[in-house]
């Protein structure tokens, strides 16, 4: 039996706790949160006790911690958990600063603890299937990767202001996905463009809500990413990969399979609304993978280095947009 | 150069003339119609002369005739053309009476002239592809054939009254398609049900506007056909065939490939409106096949016997509906 | 807190127990099975105790029972549970005999206990959405309902022999779905055809593996149903409903959303394999509906009368096939 | 009756001649080509005479010329036709040099003759429908345009060498489409990346075969374009446009509508092979538009200025790739 401690009992902590409760061989022994109510609620739901964060990390009946707290607390929690020899499941981003992530990498490597950076989309059954088929050479060498990600609606301006900006908050998932699909051929150049087309207040806050990025690798592979904070038809999450012998693409998951035909034509349901529905299976698979890997040993992907690489790409994209030029990863990343 | 005479210069005669004008090695030398205006118009458009029907049939510069006149004139024209040794392209139905079709068969066989019954849907590129892949054993032995055919809107009651009824006027295409797809395994039983759900006036005229039929073959294969005189979303023409190893299905052709996504979901265009658009390619391919076959010799399918078989199935369906019981083809067809 | 007893700890009992464990406000207090191992396993997984069936039914900490035992035991369990005043969730079919179902109806009505006949497909989010939109008049009055259901592969002959035949074992789901979609306009005539095209051994066992049925209602509505025990591409479960103003159809759920394009064309994944995957959400929704209805009171649909009606339609279809004629429900059902 | 002269009797000249032959109110009176055989063949097929190019342009029974000759001859033919007061239908590109196109613009404007730059894709029924619906405000203000264009296979190296490079030969269609869809909001910046991933010989010839471009407009709209000289599954031609209230996208046209389902899943036909099939309807609509516009007067779009703008974008993309930086149109175009 693997004993798990949950750090952060907000929405994402609850999601991960729900996954753990459905997996045999693991249980939640303790939870922690800065606020007593969500901690008490999740403890009751999970049959666990409430503790302070550091107390939880050092508790003898905690084998692994799930870090779902605000990003600025990750650094200290990772250091503490690594020092305590606990396996770490850490929400993305690891930290907003690449330099601080490098510090975390040192702590994790020194301690030799298992670490998963929770880029949940790698575990989506559709995207995982697509990536596995690239790896199985179903379409030959990859040439162009196209990733589209659009939220149904922008978050509050207060969220935008503390988010680190679209590239670090939203596109970071797509940048990690690009690396996942490019299969080890790392981007060496990033060119970004963007604007506040959805809400001028986002522009006034110094951010963009609509953006496109081109990544290029040393061997000439191309990745196009586009993002928007708005999509009237649901959470738009698509991937298309062209290789020497064909294309693989993953379409959206719709709310249902029903189609209506009238004089207006043939109409299907909107896409599933947002990430909790769209990535429900991904969250379960991600946690199952982590718990299995901790139990069985062996390497974990995406690890903390993947967290760093995605952050570096996001930083490069933000720099590119600010300076209006492509940014080289080799020199500046 | 193959010289063609057009009998009947209405809508369908014009369609066939248009096909001939696009085919190298054939030309329209003469046209005939009961009314002078359409004859003159088609003659001008085709560089042909206007003649009387029998005069045209006996003309030395006519090698083949295209019969697109009202159904009740087919009998005499077929006999005259057969006697004159002309190849015959005859619109469906050959005749409303199976007995009279048998007379025509004798005349055609005696004369040994090429004869095509114009079941145009066999030449639709989609349906022809589907049938060829059944014949190529892509799905194994056929088990269930499902054919759906819905007109966009009912014809005028005056048309209904002289149409011979839904089974002989509309479903006859589907009954021929069933035989085409069942590949020689002839239906031995027909069960029909139907009602006037679209327009009570159709019921008052003694006909139905909504119907479903089950055909069964001696070996147990099943064919389901459904028809309606109404479809708000365009001309609905679909086929689905299940075999031992899989399924083949042909979807509708839509007006265009554009899809719009809004908060109402994902919407595509309606189906192509009606038969002139939907079967444009089929009409061209049908005529090209006929002209090629006349020039090269060899058997022609669908021939006049196929015209008879479809009529017998339509008669059996009408009888089944009238009597509320399945009708056996072996005994009563 | 609603206390539930599980009668039958086989595959379907485990599915229902899993649903209950995910629903707040209900718990499994006791389980029963003819075999000790599955009972012990499910008890352990659910934090429940193992009891004898009748002991469980009469237990004071059981408010409702879930009957997932072999069909021939339903009769006695329903009578016992009704007598004990327990709410009843009963797997389909209620019984193989319409006469015995009528006995059960009397017992249930006398006791006034809530009863759900577990036609799970009514709770499938896709089919439920489709039905709700018919009820909301999105396509006008229903004209033709088409239901297709194909299993991925035939069951063992031993199963076939005790199954009651394809119409009672497999098509009964579709017959109930037809009633669900026809919205109170009950079928008055059933015509069935069928053959053993998949496996001659099924024919030798006196059953068919391929069948098509036409239902007609008093007002002339038509329902086409086709069934096969074989589908190479997964569990094929589709519905299409035509109404005066349009069509609603529910397509299959595929294993994933990934499409590959190569020189062979565009290829998507097979349909989800079989009922446990395909109807996972339906099972959860069905149980949530039952528990909510028991707690809140009010009528339950599908009730035990729906179980009878579906059985009568299946009986009529079997009779129609045996006698080669349509069977009238009013006279003979 | 409008009298047309065809300049250039190769593949594209034959396509345009075929369109004219199907349009009432226009006829081909004369044809010219550097080689006698194709000229004689097209003349015979069209009932026209063979003439020298300049003789044809000055002929009194030529009202409009169709220029389908090699690109380096366009300049002289446009000047001659403009001087002779003839309406001009000119294949793209108008010329490889933006400076020389500007000369042509002066000649055309001085003469006041109708001029169409044959960006045929604007007339594709799918793309035209998509653009019309943007113009009709179906999705609100445009935010991101994504255009994908992939040829089924690379042309011979000899063609590549004289093509002007991928941006001027292939992507020029997409650059014009971007302008068509952006609706007057002109791109002000172009960033291009590309590589020879399909065939190293293309790289050795100084060109790329795989490329992606980002255009940005003054108001912040973004257009992503990707091109490849290879697509195993047919000619890939797709457009997707995101606006404030939704998305419009045009999918590929497949060879047929047939889908096969087997244990490998659901497979549709490849996309139509190449431009002659895919854009058959576009070529007809383009010529019909031109002839109608010449007859009725009024402005013609895309005109010669559109030919210049697309060329300037292609030049900018080539420069961007060469220098590894975004190129500003305002300063350098």
């Amino acid at each position: 039996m693997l004993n798990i401690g949950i750090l952060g009992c907000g929405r994402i902590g609850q999601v991960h706790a729900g996954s753990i409760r459905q997996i045999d061989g693991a249980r939640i022994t303790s939870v922690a949160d800065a606020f007593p109510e969500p901690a008490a609620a999740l403890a009751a739901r999970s049959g666990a006790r409430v503790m302070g964060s550091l107390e939880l990390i050092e508790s003898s009946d905690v084998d692994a911690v799930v870090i779902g707290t605000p990003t600025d607390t990750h650094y200290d929690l990772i250091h503490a958990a690594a020092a305590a020899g606990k396996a770490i499941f850490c929400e993305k981003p690891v930290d907003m600063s690449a330099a601080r992530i490098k510090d975390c990498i040192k702590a994790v490597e020194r301690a030799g603890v298992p670490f998963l950076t929770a880029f949940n989309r790698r575990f989506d059954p559709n995207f995982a299937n697509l990536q596995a088929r690239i790896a199985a050479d179903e379409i030959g060498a990859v040439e162009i990767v196209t990733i589209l990600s659009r939220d149904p609606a922008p978050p509050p301006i207060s969220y935008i202001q503390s988010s680190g900006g679209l590239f670090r908050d939203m596109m970071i998932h797509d940048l990690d996905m690009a690396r996942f699909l490019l299969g080890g051929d790392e981007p060496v150049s990033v060119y970004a463009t963007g604007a506040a087309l959805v809400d001028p207040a986002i522009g006034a806050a110094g951010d963009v809500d609509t953006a496109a990025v081109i990544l290029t690798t040393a061997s000439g592979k191309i990745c196009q990413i586009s993002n928007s904070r708005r999509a009237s038809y649901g959470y738009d999450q698509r991937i298309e990969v062209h290789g020497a012998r064909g294309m693989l693409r993953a379409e959206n998951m719709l709310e249902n399979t029903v189609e209506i035909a009238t004089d207006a034509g043939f109409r299907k349901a909107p896409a599933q609304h947002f990430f909790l529905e769209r990535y429900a299976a991904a969250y379960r698979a991600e946690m199952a993978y982590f718990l299995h890997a901790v139990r069985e040993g062996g390497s974990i992907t995406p690890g903390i280095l993947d967290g760093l690489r995605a952050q570096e790409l996001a930083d490069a994209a933000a720099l590119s947009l600010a300076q209006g030029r492509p940014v080289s990863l080799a020199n500046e990343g």
Side-chain angles (χ1 to χ4, degrees), chain A:
Chain A
M1 184 62 59
L2 210 54
N3 295 317
I4 314 291
I6 305 284
L7 297 164
C9 300
R11 188 167 57 177
I12 197 65
Q14 293 167 32
V15 168
H16 294 314
S19 296
I20 294 165
R21 286 197 304 268
Q22 290 178 48
I23 295 169
D24 287 337
R27 70 177 166 201
I28 301 166
T29 56
S30 35
V31 308
D33 196 279
F35 297 92
E37 293 81 2
L42 186 60
R45 183 104 180 95
S46 304
R49 66 178 180 270
V50 177
M51 304 181 84
S53 291
L54 294 179
E55 184 190 12
L56 181 154
I57 286 171
E58 284 160 16
S59 172
S60 64
D61 68 351
V62 167
D63 303 314
V65 295
V66 172
I67 303 178
T69 52
T71 300
D72 58 8
T73 67
H74 290 185
Y75 183 93
D76 288 343
L77 295 174
I78 290 168
H79 277 81
K86 304 301 164 80
I88 303 169
F89 176 112
C90 184
E91 266 306 314
K92 69 94 219 169
V94 176
D95 192 274
M96 281 297 180
S97 146
R100 281 161 59 93
I101 299 177
K102 287 175 183 168
D103 279 351
C104 292
I105 291 177
K106 280 182 204 146
V108 167
E109 289 186 344
R110 200 181 310 122
V113 294
F115 190 103
L116 180 128
T117 305
F119 284 121
N120 59 302
R121 296 185 192 173
R122 292 195 183 209
F123 298 92
D124 174 65
N126 306 300
F127 298 160
N129 175 277
L130 192 155
Q131 190 274 338
R133 292 163 75 177
I134 294 171
D137 199 32
E138 288 196 28
I139 57 167
V142 168
E143 294 169 357
I144 301 181
V145 171
T146 302
I147 301 172
L148 177 149
S149 181
R150 298 176 71 96
D151 286 350
I157 290 295
S158 59
Y159 177 90
I160 293 279
Q161 284 162 338
S162 64
S163 69
L166 180 140
F167 298 107
R168 293 185 188 89
D169 175 59
M170 180 176 177
M171 195 180 283
I172 193 166
H173 277 292
D174 307 300
L175 294 164
D176 178 65
M177 184 56 68
R179 292 185 63 248
F180 185 47
L181 299 174
L182 288 167
D185 200 353
E186 296 287 340
V188 295
S189 170
V190 178
Y191 176 75
T193 186
L197 301 179
V198 174
D199 186 351
I202 293 175
D207 200 1
V208 294
D209 50 38
T210 308
V213 158
I214 290 182
L215 308 175
T216 48
T217 73
S219 67
K221 292 181 172 66
I222 297 167
C223 176
Q224 300 175 293
I225 301 174
S226 63
N227 274 189
S228 170
R229 292 287 193 183
R230 166 163 69 189
S232 62
Y233 49 90
Y235 189 41
D236 195 352
Q237 299 283 293
R238 284 177 283 154
I239 292 173
E240 176 168 321
V241 181
H242 291 268
R245 292 197 312 276
M247 164 177 67
L248 281 162
R249 59 177 170 180
E251 252 294 336
N252 281 308
M253 295 184 69
L254 306 188
E255 286 179 0
N256 58 59
T257 68
V258 180
E259 184 174 38
I260 188 166
T262 65
D263 52 9
F266 293 80
R267 182 162 56 84
K268 291 185 176 170
Q272 290 181 354
H273 180 64
F274 209 7
F275 63 95
L276 291 180
E277 300 87 8
R278 172 64 184 83
Y279 290 118
Y283 285 121
R284 287 195 299 271
E286 178 184 49
M287 186 56 73
Y289 167 81
F290 174 71
L291 297 179
H292 182 266
V294 169
R295 216 181 284 121
E296 302 296 321
S299 71
I300 290 187
T301 304
I304 190 165
L305 195 60
D306 296 298
L308 174 63
R309 289 284 170 260
Q311 199 69 22
E312 288 171 341
L313 287 170
D315 288 346
L319 182 65
S320 172
L321 179 67
Q323 301 193 343
R325 63 173 181 90
V327 170
S328 163
L329 265 295
N331 302 335
E332 319 181 46

